[in-house]
Amino acid sequence: MRQHLLSTLLLAAGLAAPATAQVRVQLDPLGPLRLRLGVRAGAQVTRMTIAAPDYVSTELKYNYWGGQAGLVLEAAVGWLSLQQGVVFSQKGYREKRSWTQELQGTSYPSKSLVRLRLNYLELPLNLVATVHGVQLFAGPYLGVGLSGEYKYTYTKPMRTSEYYQTYALTSYANETKIGFGKKSPTPYYRPFRRLDAGYQVGVGYRRGGWQAQAAYSHGVKNSYESIYIGYDPPAENRGFQLNLTRFFGRPEPAQ
């Protein structure tokens, strides 16, 4: 009986050993330093944390599309690498609102559309691990504000007479260029700060000199200050990025 039980346990251990070996990930030793230069292009959808409005919104959207383009320098030692980018990056937000105003017993449907575009020269630095082509990466970034644009359109009731309490829906629009460190285009906020900083994490895939990555970007620096005393909610950049990089140089051995 004991011999039969021992034989069964040995047989089970022998069958389990190959299955265990199949799920192991073999990491090759780190190799010599390799430097490669690449060209990057991509797109991102961004938003910004902003102060609460002074009216109730029934529709609110923050997502705004932007682009990225620039260069990437890679320093790799086998499956581990540092990638330093220098990219032009478009951020900002798109804010759409609708509400109803009651004036003199009449309801007026009102709406607004605000678009803020901020252009940065961004310096992302990521530590990248590549195993069998699959990548995990994370790292900080620093952004320097270059230019921007603030656009808004409003449709709301306005008085039609200086002497009578009569109103009519009126639409108007405005477009202003943004200068970092200068006067804000809207009276509700102070000037935009030139420096932005944060971190990003993501996944990717590498095949030869081609690399595709998806990342989440999280800003930690306030882009501008509220003018309200005792109420200064952070205005920080957020975004999801998709980019494609083409590295040039000697082909890499398969990871």
Side-chain angles (χ1 to χ4, degrees):
M1 182 65 180
R2 291 182 179 177
Q3 291 181 349
H4 178 71
L5 180 59
L6 182 59
S7 300
T8 303
L9 292 175
L10 291 175
L11 178 61
L15 292 175
T20 303
Q22 290 178 1
V23 298
R24 290 178 181 171
V25 176
Q26 182 65 39
L27 295 179
D28 296 330
L30 298 179
L33 177 65
R34 297 166 55 89
L35 298 178
R36 300 185 76 182
L37 184 65
V39 178
R40 172 170 295 177
Q44 58 185 345
V45 57
T46 65
R47 60 161 296 192
M48 182 180 288
T49 60
I50 62 172
D54 57 0
Y55 49 83
V56 178
S57 169
T58 58
E59 184 178 7
L60 179 60
K61 296 181 179 179
Y62 288 117
N63 292 338
Y64 201 20
W65 287 95
Q68 274 196 339
L71 301 175
V72 181
L73 177 63
E74 179 185 58
V77 283
W79 55 271
L80 193 63
S81 66
L82 273 177
Q83 294 184 2
Q84 173 67 70
V86 181
V87 297
F88 173 77
S89 180
Q90 294 180 313
K91 298 185 177 183
Y93 67 85
R94 178 180 180 271
E95 182 182 43
K96 188 176 182 180
R97 303 180 184 275
S98 60
W99 69 100
T100 300
Q101 282 186 263
E102 295 281 346
L103 294 170
Q104 300 296 314
T106 303
S107 298
Y108 295 92
S110 305
K111 60 183 179 180
S112 68
L113 176 61
V114 176
R115 287 169 292 180
L116 174 67
R117 169 71 73 205
L118 300 175
N119 301 317
Y120 291 93
L121 179 66
E122 202 165 274
L123 306 172
L125 176 63
N126 290 319
L127 180 65
V128 185
T130 306
V131 180
H132 302 300
V134 179
Q135 294 182 326
L136 294 176
F137 65 90
Y141 76 83
L142 178 67
V144 180
L146 301 176
S147 62
E149 193 174 57
Y150 182 86
K151 299 180 181 179
Y152 66 86
T153 58
Y154 283 92
T155 300
K156 58 191 296 186
M158 303 290 288
R159 288 184 60 173
T160 58
S161 172
E162 184 178 352
Y163 304 101
Y164 301 99
Q165 295 289 329
T166 56
Y167 297 86
L169 282 177
T170 305
S171 297
Y172 58 97
N174 189 32
E175 179 177 330
T176 307
K177 299 294 183 182
I178 290 176
F180 288 89
K182 299 179 182 178
K183 185 179 180 180
S184 173
T186 169
Y188 300 108
Y189 298 103
R190 289 176 179 166
F192 286 86
R193 293 170 172 168
R194 187 172 295 276
L195 292 181
D196 181 37
Y199 63 87
Q200 52 192 11
V201 295
V203 297
Y205 184 76
R206 179 77 171 261
R207 184 176 179 86
W210 291 95
Q211 172 183 276
Q213 291 182 332
Y216 167 69
S217 177
H218 187 106
V220 298
K221 196 172 188 303
N222 201 353
S223 297
Y224 53 77
E225 297 180 59
S226 171
I227 63 172
Y228 301 109
I229 298 176
Y231 181 64
D232 189 16
E236 299 167 346
N237 288 305
R238 303 282 191 270
F240 290 93
Q241 308 168 353
L242 288 174
N243 61 66
L244 183 66
T245 305
R246 176 68 168 99
F247 289 99
F248 300 96
R250 268 191 318 165
E252 292 183 346
Q255 297 289 340

PDB file of all heavy atoms in Angstrom, residues 82-112:
ATOM      1  N   LEU A  82      16.265  52.709 -20.852  1.00  0.00           N
ATOM      2  CA  LEU A  82      15.778  54.046 -20.527  1.00  0.00           C
ATOM      3  C   LEU A  82      15.467  54.751 -21.835  1.00  0.00           C
ATOM      4  O   LEU A  82      16.307  54.762 -22.756  1.00  0.00           O
ATOM      5  CB  LEU A  82      16.817  54.838 -19.744  1.00  0.00           C
ATOM      6  CG  LEU A  82      16.852  54.701 -18.220  1.00  0.00           C
ATOM      7  CD1 LEU A  82      18.000  55.513 -17.654  1.00  0.00           C
ATOM      8  CD2 LEU A  82      15.534  55.157 -17.594  1.00  0.00           C
ATOM      9  N   GLN A  83      14.278  55.353 -21.933  1.00  0.00           N
ATOM     10  CA  GLN A  83      13.891  56.079 -23.131  1.00  0.00           C
ATOM     11  C   GLN A  83      13.583  57.524 -22.769  1.00  0.00           C
ATOM     12  O   GLN A  83      12.663  57.804 -22.000  1.00  0.00           O
ATOM     13  CB  GLN A  83      12.678  55.419 -23.789  1.00  0.00           C
ATOM     14  CG  GLN A  83      12.978  54.031 -24.340  1.00  0.00           C
ATOM     15  CD  GLN A  83      11.809  53.430 -25.082  1.00  0.00           C
ATOM     16  OE1 GLN A  83      10.757  54.045 -25.241  1.00  0.00           O
ATOM     17  NE2 GLN A  83      11.987  52.207 -25.572  1.00  0.00           N
ATOM     18  N   GLN A  84      14.391  58.431 -23.326  1.00  0.00           N
ATOM     19  CA  GLN A  84      14.225  59.860 -23.092  1.00  0.00           C
ATOM     20  C   GLN A  84      13.618  60.495 -24.338  1.00  0.00           C
ATOM     21  O   GLN A  84      14.191  60.421 -25.423  1.00  0.00           O
ATOM     22  CB  GLN A  84      15.566  60.511 -22.786  1.00  0.00           C
ATOM     23  CG  GLN A  84      15.523  62.036 -22.684  1.00  0.00           C
ATOM     24  CD  GLN A  84      14.734  62.524 -21.486  1.00  0.00           C
ATOM     25  OE1 GLN A  84      15.173  62.373 -20.353  1.00  0.00           O
ATOM     26  NE2 GLN A  84      13.575  63.116 -21.721  1.00  0.00           N
ATOM     27  N   GLY A  85      12.450  61.099 -24.179  1.00  0.00           N
ATOM     28  CA  GLY A  85      11.781  61.726 -25.305  1.00  0.00           C
ATOM     29  C   GLY A  85      11.864  63.234 -25.266  1.00  0.00           C
ATOM     30  O   GLY A  85      11.998  63.841 -24.195  1.00  0.00           O
ATOM     31  N   VAL A  86      11.771  63.843 -26.431  1.00  0.00           N
ATOM     32  CA  VAL A  86      11.608  65.285 -26.595  1.00  0.00           C
ATOM     33  C   VAL A  86      10.481  65.450 -27.603  1.00  0.00           C
ATOM     34  O   VAL A  86      10.680  65.267 -28.808  1.00  0.00           O
ATOM     35  CB  VAL A  86      12.888  65.974 -27.099  1.00  0.00           C
ATOM     36  CG1 VAL A  86      12.662  67.475 -27.237  1.00  0.00           C
ATOM     37  CG2 VAL A  86      14.065  65.701 -26.173  1.00  0.00           C
ATOM     38  N   VAL A  87       9.274  65.768 -27.123  1.00  0.00           N
ATOM     39  CA  VAL A  87       8.108  65.746 -27.997  1.00  0.00           C
ATOM     40  C   VAL A  87       7.289  67.032 -27.842  1.00  0.00           C
ATOM     41  O   VAL A  87       7.249  67.656 -26.774  1.00  0.00           O
ATOM     42  CB  VAL A  87       7.203  64.526 -27.700  1.00  0.00           C
ATOM     43  CG1 VAL A  87       7.936  63.238 -27.979  1.00  0.00           C
ATOM     44  CG2 VAL A  87       6.716  64.541 -26.257  1.00  0.00           C
ATOM     45  N   PHE A  88       6.643  67.406 -28.935  1.00  0.00           N
ATOM     46  CA  PHE A  88       5.647  68.465 -28.925  1.00  0.00           C
ATOM     47  C   PHE A  88       4.323  67.825 -28.552  1.00  0.00           C
ATOM     48  O   PHE A  88       3.888  66.853 -29.175  1.00  0.00           O
ATOM     49  CB  PHE A  88       5.554  69.126 -30.296  1.00  0.00           C
ATOM     50  CG  PHE A  88       4.425  70.121 -30.418  1.00  0.00           C
ATOM     51  CD1 PHE A  88       4.537  71.384 -29.866  1.00  0.00           C
ATOM     52  CD2 PHE A  88       3.257  69.777 -31.090  1.00  0.00           C
ATOM     53  CE1 PHE A  88       3.493  72.301 -29.979  1.00  0.00           C
ATOM     54  CE2 PHE A  88       2.214  70.678 -31.209  1.00  0.00           C
ATOM     55  CZ  PHE A  88       2.335  71.942 -30.655  1.00  0.00           C
ATOM     56  N   SER A  89       3.651  68.348 -27.510  1.00  0.00           N
ATOM     57  CA  SER A  89       2.459  67.689 -26.972  1.00  0.00           C
ATOM     58  C   SER A  89       1.327  68.701 -26.811  1.00  0.00           C
ATOM     59  O   SER A  89       1.513  69.780 -26.248  1.00  0.00           O
ATOM     60  CB  SER A  89       2.789  67.054 -25.609  1.00  0.00           C
ATOM     61  OG  SER A  89       1.666  66.404 -25.060  1.00  0.00           O
ATOM     62  N   GLN A  90       0.138  68.339 -27.309  1.00  0.00           N
ATOM     63  CA  GLN A  90      -1.045  69.186 -27.212  1.00  0.00           C
ATOM     64  C   GLN A  90      -1.961  68.671 -26.097  1.00  0.00           C
ATOM     65  O   GLN A  90      -2.384  67.517 -26.127  1.00  0.00           O
ATOM     66  CB  GLN A  90      -1.811  69.200 -28.532  1.00  0.00           C
ATOM     67  CG  GLN A  90      -1.059  69.862 -29.667  1.00  0.00           C
ATOM     68  CD  GLN A  90      -1.864  69.843 -30.942  1.00  0.00           C
ATOM     69  OE1 GLN A  90      -2.415  68.821 -31.333  1.00  0.00           O
ATOM     70  NE2 GLN A  90      -1.941  70.984 -31.615  1.00  0.00           N
ATOM     71  N   LYS A  91      -2.269  69.554 -25.135  1.00  0.00           N
ATOM     72  CA  LYS A  91      -3.149  69.198 -24.032  1.00  0.00           C
ATOM     73  C   LYS A  91      -4.267  70.219 -23.914  1.00  0.00           C
ATOM     74  O   LYS A  91      -4.373  71.148 -24.710  1.00  0.00           O
ATOM     75  CB  LYS A  91      -2.349  69.106 -22.721  1.00  0.00           C
ATOM     76  CG  LYS A  91      -1.276  68.025 -22.735  1.00  0.00           C
ATOM     77  CD  LYS A  91      -0.590  67.895 -21.395  1.00  0.00           C
ATOM     78  CE  LYS A  91       0.426  66.774 -21.408  1.00  0.00           C
ATOM     79  NZ  LYS A  91       1.071  66.575 -20.094  1.00  0.00           N
ATOM     80  N   GLY A  92      -5.114  70.037 -22.886  1.00  0.00           N
ATOM     81  CA  GLY A  92      -6.207  70.969 -22.670  1.00  0.00           C
ATOM     82  C   GLY A  92      -7.492  70.251 -22.342  1.00  0.00           C
ATOM     83  O   GLY A  92      -7.491  69.088 -21.932  1.00  0.00           O
ATOM     84  N   TYR A  93      -8.610  70.934 -22.544  1.00  0.00           N
ATOM     85  CA  TYR A  93      -9.906  70.313 -22.291  1.00  0.00           C
ATOM     86  C   TYR A  93     -10.983  70.967 -23.145  1.00  0.00           C
ATOM     87  O   TYR A  93     -10.825  72.069 -23.674  1.00  0.00           O
ATOM     88  CB  TYR A  93     -10.286  70.377 -20.812  1.00  0.00           C
ATOM     89  CG  TYR A  93     -10.562  71.765 -20.262  1.00  0.00           C
ATOM     90  CD1 TYR A  93     -11.817  72.351 -20.395  1.00  0.00           C
ATOM     91  CD2 TYR A  93      -9.577  72.484 -19.587  1.00  0.00           C
ATOM     92  CE1 TYR A  93     -12.084  73.610 -19.892  1.00  0.00           C
ATOM     93  CE2 TYR A  93      -9.832  73.739 -19.072  1.00  0.00           C
ATOM     94  CZ  TYR A  93     -11.086  74.298 -19.228  1.00  0.00           C
ATOM     95  OH  TYR A  93     -11.342  75.541 -18.729  1.00  0.00           O
ATOM     96  N   ARG A  94     -12.087  70.243 -23.264  1.00  0.00           N
ATOM     97  CA  ARG A  94     -13.288  70.721 -23.955  1.00  0.00           C
ATOM     98  C   ARG A  94     -14.439  70.594 -22.971  1.00  0.00           C
ATOM     99  O   ARG A  94     -14.730  69.513 -22.486  1.00  0.00           O
ATOM    100  CB  ARG A  94     -13.547  69.885 -25.206  1.00  0.00           C
ATOM    101  CG  ARG A  94     -14.802  70.246 -25.987  1.00  0.00           C
ATOM    102  CD  ARG A  94     -14.914  69.317 -27.204  1.00  0.00           C
ATOM    103  NE  ARG A  94     -16.087  69.616 -27.996  1.00  0.00           N
ATOM    104  CZ  ARG A  94     -17.282  69.071 -27.805  1.00  0.00           C
ATOM    105  NH1 ARG A  94     -17.456  68.217 -26.801  1.00  0.00           N
ATOM    106  NH2 ARG A  94     -18.298  69.389 -28.589  1.00  0.00           N
ATOM    107  N   GLU A  95     -15.096  71.708 -22.681  1.00  0.00           N
ATOM    108  CA  GLU A  95     -16.111  71.735 -21.642  1.00  0.00           C
ATOM    109  C   GLU A  95     -17.434  72.220 -22.230  1.00  0.00           C
ATOM    110  O   GLU A  95     -17.545  73.367 -22.679  1.00  0.00           O
ATOM    111  CB  GLU A  95     -15.660  72.662 -20.508  1.00  0.00           C
ATOM    112  CG  GLU A  95     -16.608  72.734 -19.348  1.00  0.00           C
ATOM    113  CD  GLU A  95     -16.101  73.709 -18.312  1.00  0.00           C
ATOM    114  OE1 GLU A  95     -15.623  74.802 -18.682  1.00  0.00           O
ATOM    115  OE2 GLU A  95     -16.169  73.374 -17.124  1.00  0.00           O
ATOM    116  N   LYS A  96     -18.430  71.347 -22.236  1.00  0.00           N
ATOM    117  CA  LYS A  96     -19.741  71.682 -22.785  1.00  0.00           C
ATOM    118  C   LYS A  96     -20.775  71.631 -21.675  1.00  0.00           C
ATOM    119  O   LYS A  96     -20.879  70.644 -20.958  1.00  0.00           O
ATOM    120  CB  LYS A  96     -20.110  70.693 -23.897  1.00  0.00           C
ATOM    121  CG  LYS A  96     -21.364  71.056 -24.657  1.00  0.00           C
ATOM    122  CD  LYS A  96     -21.604  70.070 -25.796  1.00  0.00           C
ATOM    123  CE  LYS A  96     -22.826  70.440 -26.605  1.00  0.00           C
ATOM    124  NZ  LYS A  96     -23.060  69.472 -27.707  1.00  0.00           N
ATOM    125  N   ARG A  97     -21.568  72.701 -21.558  1.00  0.00           N
ATOM    126  CA  ARG A  97     -22.561  72.784 -20.490  1.00  0.00           C
ATOM    127  C   ARG A  97     -23.904  73.243 -21.059  1.00  0.00           C
ATOM    128  O   ARG A  97     -23.947  73.954 -22.064  1.00  0.00           O
ATOM    129  CB  ARG A  97     -22.127  73.766 -19.400  1.00  0.00           C
ATOM    130  CG  ARG A  97     -20.790  73.462 -18.758  1.00  0.00           C
ATOM    131  CD  ARG A  97     -20.476  74.503 -17.686  1.00  0.00           C
ATOM    132  NE  ARG A  97     -19.160  74.303 -17.116  1.00  0.00           N
ATOM    133  CZ  ARG A  97     -18.898  73.466 -16.113  1.00  0.00           C
ATOM    134  NH1 ARG A  97     -19.875  72.756 -15.587  1.00  0.00           N
ATOM    135  NH2 ARG A  97     -17.674  73.342 -15.638  1.00  0.00           N
ATOM    136  N   SER A  98     -24.972  72.870 -20.365  1.00  0.00           N
ATOM    137  CA  SER A  98     -26.301  73.378 -20.694  1.00  0.00           C
ATOM    138  C   SER A  98     -27.090  73.532 -19.401  1.00  0.00           C
ATOM    139  O   SER A  98     -26.950  72.726 -18.478  1.00  0.00           O
ATOM    140  CB  SER A  98     -27.018  72.438 -21.660  1.00  0.00           C
ATOM    141  OG  SER A  98     -27.173  71.149 -21.098  1.00  0.00           O
ATOM    142  N   TRP A  99     -27.888  74.563 -19.318  1.00  0.00           N
ATOM    143  CA  TRP A  99     -28.673  74.833 -18.121  1.00  0.00           C
ATOM    144  C   TRP A  99     -29.878  75.696 -18.506  1.00  0.00           C
ATOM    145  O   TRP A  99     -30.011  76.132 -19.660  1.00  0.00           O
ATOM    146  CB  TRP A  99     -27.832  75.525 -17.046  1.00  0.00           C
ATOM    147  CG  TRP A  99     -27.415  76.927 -17.357  1.00  0.00           C
ATOM    148  CD1 TRP A  99     -27.989  78.082 -16.895  1.00  0.00           C
ATOM    149  CD2 TRP A  99     -26.323  77.333 -18.193  1.00  0.00           C
ATOM    150  NE1 TRP A  99     -27.322  79.172 -17.383  1.00  0.00           N
ATOM    151  CE2 TRP A  99     -26.306  78.741 -18.178  1.00  0.00           C
ATOM    152  CE3 TRP A  99     -25.380  76.653 -18.952  1.00  0.00           C
ATOM    153  CZ2 TRP A  99     -25.369  79.484 -18.902  1.00  0.00           C
ATOM    154  CZ3 TRP A  99     -24.454  77.377 -19.668  1.00  0.00           C
ATOM    155  CH2 TRP A  99     -24.453  78.780 -19.635  1.00  0.00           C
ATOM    156  N   THR A 100     -30.753  75.915 -17.573  1.00  0.00           N
ATOM    157  CA  THR A 100     -31.962  76.706 -17.800  1.00  0.00           C
ATOM    158  C   THR A 100     -32.012  77.862 -16.817  1.00  0.00           C
ATOM    159  O   THR A 100     -31.794  77.676 -15.615  1.00  0.00           O
ATOM    160  CB  THR A 100     -33.222  75.842 -17.641  1.00  0.00           C
ATOM    161  OG1 THR A 100     -33.187  74.770 -18.581  1.00  0.00           O
ATOM    162  CG2 THR A 100     -34.480  76.668 -17.884  1.00  0.00           C
ATOM    163  N   GLN A 101     -32.283  79.061 -17.355  1.00  0.00           N
ATOM    164  CA  GLN A 101     -32.412  80.246 -16.518  1.00  0.00           C
ATOM    165  C   GLN A 101     -33.862  80.722 -16.496  1.00  0.00           C
ATOM    166  O   GLN A 101     -34.526  80.767 -17.540  1.00  0.00           O
ATOM    167  CB  GLN A 101     -31.515  81.380 -17.046  1.00  0.00           C
ATOM    168  CG  GLN A 101     -30.045  81.211 -16.696  1.00  0.00           C
ATOM    169  CD  GLN A 101     -29.242  82.424 -17.105  1.00  0.00           C
ATOM    170  OE1 GLN A 101     -28.630  82.434 -18.167  1.00  0.00           O
ATOM    171  NE2 GLN A 101     -29.238  83.446 -16.259  1.00  0.00           N
ATOM    172  N   GLU A 102     -34.328  81.078 -15.306  1.00  0.00           N
ATOM    173  CA  GLU A 102     -35.673  81.603 -15.133  1.00  0.00           C
ATOM    174  C   GLU A 102     -35.589  83.120 -14.949  1.00  0.00           C
ATOM    175  O   GLU A 102     -35.000  83.612 -13.989  1.00  0.00           O
ATOM    176  CB  GLU A 102     -36.343  80.962 -13.917  1.00  0.00           C
ATOM    177  CG  GLU A 102     -36.593  79.466 -14.049  1.00  0.00           C
ATOM    178  CD  GLU A 102     -37.825  79.167 -14.887  1.00  0.00           C
ATOM    179  OE1 GLU A 102     -38.615  80.112 -15.119  1.00  0.00           O
ATOM    180  OE2 GLU A 102     -37.975  78.010 -15.313  1.00  0.00           O
ATOM    181  N   LEU A 103     -36.198  83.879 -15.881  1.00  0.00           N
ATOM    182  CA  LEU A 103     -36.187  85.337 -15.812  1.00  0.00           C
ATOM    183  C   LEU A 103     -37.586  85.854 -16.142  1.00  0.00           C
ATOM    184  O   LEU A 103     -38.130  85.548 -17.215  1.00  0.00           O
ATOM    185  CB  LEU A 103     -35.166  85.931 -16.783  1.00  0.00           C
ATOM    186  CG  LEU A 103     -33.694  85.621 -16.491  1.00  0.00           C
ATOM    187  CD1 LEU A 103     -32.815  86.053 -17.658  1.00  0.00           C
ATOM    188  CD2 LEU A 103     -33.256  86.312 -15.201  1.00  0.00           C
ATOM    189  N   GLN A 104     -38.141  86.624 -15.225  1.00  0.00           N
ATOM    190  CA  GLN A 104     -39.467  87.206 -15.423  1.00  0.00           C
ATOM    191  C   GLN A 104     -40.516  86.155 -15.790  1.00  0.00           C
ATOM    192  O   GLN A 104     -41.380  86.372 -16.654  1.00  0.00           O
ATOM    193  CB  GLN A 104     -39.392  88.281 -16.522  1.00  0.00           C
ATOM    194  CG  GLN A 104     -38.455  89.429 -16.218  1.00  0.00           C
ATOM    195  CD  GLN A 104     -38.906  90.233 -14.995  1.00  0.00           C
ATOM    196  OE1 GLN A 104     -40.081  90.576 -14.855  1.00  0.00           O
ATOM    197  NE2 GLN A 104     -37.971  90.535 -14.107  1.00  0.00           N
ATOM    198  N   GLY A 105     -40.420  84.995 -15.143  1.00  0.00           N
ATOM    199  CA  GLY A 105     -41.397  83.948 -15.373  1.00  0.00           C
ATOM    200  C   GLY A 105     -41.202  83.163 -16.656  1.00  0.00           C
ATOM    201  O   GLY A 105     -42.044  82.324 -17.002  1.00  0.00           O
ATOM    202  N   THR A 106     -40.111  83.384 -17.350  1.00  0.00           N
ATOM    203  CA  THR A 106     -39.840  82.680 -18.610  1.00  0.00           C
ATOM    204  C   THR A 106     -38.570  81.853 -18.467  1.00  0.00           C
ATOM    205  O   THR A 106     -37.573  82.321 -17.890  1.00  0.00           O
ATOM    206  CB  THR A 106     -39.677  83.674 -19.775  1.00  0.00           C
ATOM    207  OG1 THR A 106     -40.861  84.477 -19.870  1.00  0.00           O
ATOM    208  CG2 THR A 106     -39.460  82.931 -21.089  1.00  0.00           C
ATOM    209  N   SER A 107     -38.602  80.625 -19.000  1.00  0.00           N
ATOM    210  CA  SER A 107     -37.434  79.746 -18.961  1.00  0.00           C
ATOM    211  C   SER A 107     -36.635  79.903 -20.254  1.00  0.00           C
ATOM    212  O   SER A 107     -37.201  79.834 -21.349  1.00  0.00           O
ATOM    213  CB  SER A 107     -37.868  78.278 -18.798  1.00  0.00           C
ATOM    214  OG  SER A 107     -38.552  78.107 -17.567  1.00  0.00           O
ATOM    215  N   TYR A 108     -35.336  80.102 -20.097  1.00  0.00           N
ATOM    216  CA  TYR A 108     -34.459  80.261 -21.256  1.00  0.00           C
ATOM    217  C   TYR A 108     -33.413  79.146 -21.250  1.00  0.00           C
ATOM    218  O   TYR A 108     -32.600  79.065 -20.321  1.00  0.00           O
ATOM    219  CB  TYR A 108     -33.750  81.612 -21.220  1.00  0.00           C
ATOM    220  CG  TYR A 108     -34.677  82.799 -21.356  1.00  0.00           C
ATOM    221  CD1 TYR A 108     -35.201  83.424 -20.219  1.00  0.00           C
ATOM    222  CD2 TYR A 108     -35.020  83.291 -22.598  1.00  0.00           C
ATOM    223  CE1 TYR A 108     -36.048  84.515 -20.322  1.00  0.00           C
ATOM    224  CE2 TYR A 108     -35.871  84.401 -22.723  1.00  0.00           C
ATOM    225  CZ  TYR A 108     -36.376  84.993 -21.581  1.00  0.00           C
ATOM    226  OH  TYR A 108     -37.225  86.067 -21.695  1.00  0.00           O
ATOM    227  N   PRO A 109     -33.422  78.281 -22.277  1.00  0.00           N
ATOM    228  CA  PRO A 109     -32.373  77.256 -22.366  1.00  0.00           C
ATOM    229  C   PRO A 109     -31.049  77.902 -22.761  1.00  0.00           C
ATOM    230  O   PRO A 109     -30.963  78.597 -23.775  1.00  0.00           O
ATOM    231  CB  PRO A 109     -32.892  76.315 -23.462  1.00  0.00           C
ATOM    232  CG  PRO A 109     -33.786  77.180 -24.309  1.00  0.00           C
ATOM    233  CD  PRO A 109     -34.396  78.191 -23.385  1.00  0.00           C
ATOM    234  N   SER A 110     -30.032  77.680 -21.944  1.00  0.00           N
ATOM    235  CA  SER A 110     -28.729  78.299 -22.195  1.00  0.00           C
ATOM    236  C   SER A 110     -27.668  77.224 -22.348  1.00  0.00           C
ATOM    237  O   SER A 110     -27.825  76.102 -21.860  1.00  0.00           O
ATOM    238  CB  SER A 110     -28.363  79.241 -21.035  1.00  0.00           C
ATOM    239  OG  SER A 110     -29.386  80.193 -20.824  1.00  0.00           O
ATOM    240  N   LYS A 111     -26.579  77.551 -23.017  1.00  0.00           N
ATOM    241  CA  LYS A 111     -25.502  76.584 -23.219  1.00  0.00           C
ATOM    242  C   LYS A 111     -24.189  77.314 -23.427  1.00  0.00           C
ATOM    243  O   LYS A 111     -24.159  78.508 -23.768  1.00  0.00           O
ATOM    244  CB  LYS A 111     -25.801  75.682 -24.416  1.00  0.00           C
ATOM    245  CG  LYS A 111     -25.967  76.415 -25.729  1.00  0.00           C
ATOM    246  CD  LYS A 111     -26.324  75.451 -26.856  1.00  0.00           C
ATOM    247  CE  LYS A 111     -26.507  76.192 -28.176  1.00  0.00           C
ATOM    248  NZ  LYS A 111     -26.847  75.259 -29.284  1.00  0.00           N
ATOM    249  N   SER A 112     -23.106  76.578 -23.230  1.00  0.00           N
ATOM    250  CA  SER A 112     -21.771  77.137 -23.443  1.00  0.00           C
ATOM    251  C   SER A 112     -20.832  76.034 -23.913  1.00  0.00           C
ATOM    252  O   SER A 112     -21.035  74.848 -23.619  1.00  0.00           O
ATOM    253  CB  SER A 112     -21.221  77.771 -22.161  1.00  0.00           C
ATOM    254  OG  SER A 112     -20.963  76.772 -21.188  1.00  0.00           O
TER     255      SER A 112
END
